[in-house]
Amino acid sequence: MVEVGHDVMRAVQLIRDGELVAFGTETVYGLGADATNARAVAKVFEAKSRPSFDPLISHVADTNTAQRVCREWSASAAVLADAFWPGPLTLVVPKALEVVDLATSGLPTTGVRVPRPELTREFLVAANCPVAAPSANLFGMVSPTTAAHVVEQLGHAIAYVLDTGPCEVGLESTVVRLTGEDAVVLRPGGVTFEELADVLPTIRTGADADRGEMQAPDSPGQLPNHYSPGVPIRRNVTIIAAGEATLPIGLLAFGELNDEWHGPVEQLSATGDLLEAASNLFASLRSLAARGVERIDVMPIPDVGIGVAINDRLKRAAQS
Ligand code: TXA
Ligand code: MG
């Protein structure tokens, strides 16, 4: 049976023994294994039914340790790490040998990031190894933002969940690839493009590379269909068409809701606060699906700031 708790030393012991340990971060819960142990990393892919071409992020306690798992540490890397770590930013950099090839799907690069919760950083310090972790959900499904979400989907496959409470940001990290000083955003996430450009004006969006998804081998995990709550999703819904209201539709609301809606609803943010909406997104999708609706209609979400990442996830959820 999986244990859930705050016992850092128990989590460390299990990771050292090559077991899987889920842990909280500020973005979503991760499903962790010792990144230097190929057998342990293989268990991650197996537990999630994740295709092995999709590389994992190495989680480390601080910038110094991050430099140890990389072969190169550019000035751009230093600027971004300094500005956003600990926090929801992943840097893709040339990897050191220590990180096993399976963790990076054979790529010569590794994603690396320093998560924010104190307990998780204590765990990473004591583990004294990079911890490879994808989001702790079954492949293609909605990411977990509480320990209970992890237990629900993966409880049978893991030894321990290090519980840091509900995730503060609620959306995965922004992934930035660094090639020398050149920086490109591969996945929108918890740090907005504007925030990145403020400290690194030369950074580019991956929007061009992202067109057509599967042709973007740069970020193999960015599959078009992902984040599925298990029911169809319709985006940018402003009016419920006549007759449809009798279907069991769930509404994912953002901002003011008109009085005519009487069906199941989850409010992302009544005041239209995008940060609040991001933190509620995955839990709301899960709970609407659990109420037995046949479709989830989502009100329009402004495509600015962290709204870009929210819309990215909803777009993929709608395609799955
Ligand atoms: O916030 C997050 O990033 C969470 C928490 C647990 O840290 N993790 C997460 O992992 O979202 P995952 O595996 O669900 O997504 C990782 C993304 C994928 O799109 C993957 O393709 C990309 O990062 N990625 C990882 N390593 C990469 C590499 N070496 N080159 C290009 N993309 C990489
Ligand atoms: Mg994921």
Side-chain angles (χ1 to χ4, degrees):
M1 251 316 262
V2 58
E3 294 169 61
V4 179
H6 305 102
D7 188 345
V8 168
M9 290 330 281
R10 174 92 183 112
V12 167
Q13 190 57 53
L14 288 162
I15 275 283
R16 290 211 182 126
D17 289 346
E19 300 296 334
L20 300 184
V21 172
F23 57 94
T25 82
E26 74 284 25
T27 60
V28 302
Y29 274 71
L31 175 63
D34 177 352
T36 68
N37 177 341
R39 282 173 73 97
V41 171
K43 290 184 190 170
V44 172
F45 287 95
E46 192 186 302
K48 281 197 66 155
S49 306
R50 176 170 169 126
S52 59
F53 61 76
D54 192 357
L56 310 179
I57 296 168
S58 289
H59 296 72
V60 295
D62 52 40
T63 303
N64 280 342
T65 319
Q67 283 174 267
R68 237 182 46 214
V69 307
C70 308
R71 249 190 318 102
E72 262 173 52
W73 195 250
S74 61
S76 298
V79 165
L80 293 176
D82 197 44
F84 300 108
W85 283 353
L89 176 69
T90 294
L91 299 179
V92 172
V93 288
K95 85 174 177 89
L97 283 180
E98 192 193 9
V99 176
V100 298
D101 285 338
L102 183 60
T104 64
S105 304
L107 294 173
T109 53
T110 183
V112 63
R113 86 176 191 96
V114 179
R116 199 181 280 158
E118 201 119 330
L119 200 66
T120 292
R121 275 185 289 140
E122 270 175 43
F123 158 64
L124 293 170
V125 169
N128 197 29
C129 62
V131 173
S135 49
N137 51 274
L138 291 171
F139 181 69
M141 308 302 276
V142 174
S143 304
T145 53
T146 65
H149 293 163
V150 179
V151 172
E152 208 177 283
Q153 279 191 8
L154 292 171
H156 60 282
I158 57 185
Y160 196 77
V161 183
L162 189 62
D163 187 353
T164 58
C167 301
E168 191 189 328
V169 177
L171 275 180
E172 294 84 351
S173 61
T174 303
V175 179
V176 172
R177 186 190 57 208
L178 289 167
T179 313
E181 301 304 337
D182 185 48
V184 177
V185 177
L186 299 181
R187 174 177 75 180
V191 176
T192 67
F193 184 76
E194 294 79 359
E195 289 169 327
L196 292 165
D198 265 352
V199 299
L200 193 68
T202 54
I203 196 164
R204 298 177 287 131
T205 64
D208 295 334
D210 211 33
R211 233 182 285 128
E213 287 305 331
M214 289 304 285
Q215 301 149 30
D218 288 349
S219 191
Q222 288 295 81
L223 302 177
N225 51 347
H226 222 118
Y227 308 105
S228 168
V231 290
I233 288 189
R234 202 167 63 154
R235 295 173 61 226
N236 297 319
V237 173
T238 44
I239 325 160
I240 311 299
E244 278 193 341
T246 54
L247 282 174
I249 295 171
L251 184 67
L252 194 57
F254 178 79
E256 235 167 84
L257 191 59
N258 72 33
D259 305 335
E260 279 146 54
W261 182 258
H262 300 295
V265 59
E266 285 286 333
Q267 178 59 268
L268 290 175
S269 170
T271 58
D273 177 343
L274 286 169
L275 285 174
E276 184 186 15
S279 71
N280 288 328
L281 178 67
F282 290 143
S284 302
L285 284 173
R286 277 172 192 264
S287 76
L288 277 178
R291 285 158 80 175
V293 300
E294 275 173 29
R295 192 179 75 209
I296 295 174
D297 282 359
V298 188
M299 286 169 67
I301 308 221
D303 211 30
V304 294
I306 201 167
V308 174
I310 298 175
N311 283 321
D312 171 78
R313 305 306 187 266
L314 286 170
K315 219 181 296 168
R316 292 175 208 280
Q319 282 176 40
S320 58

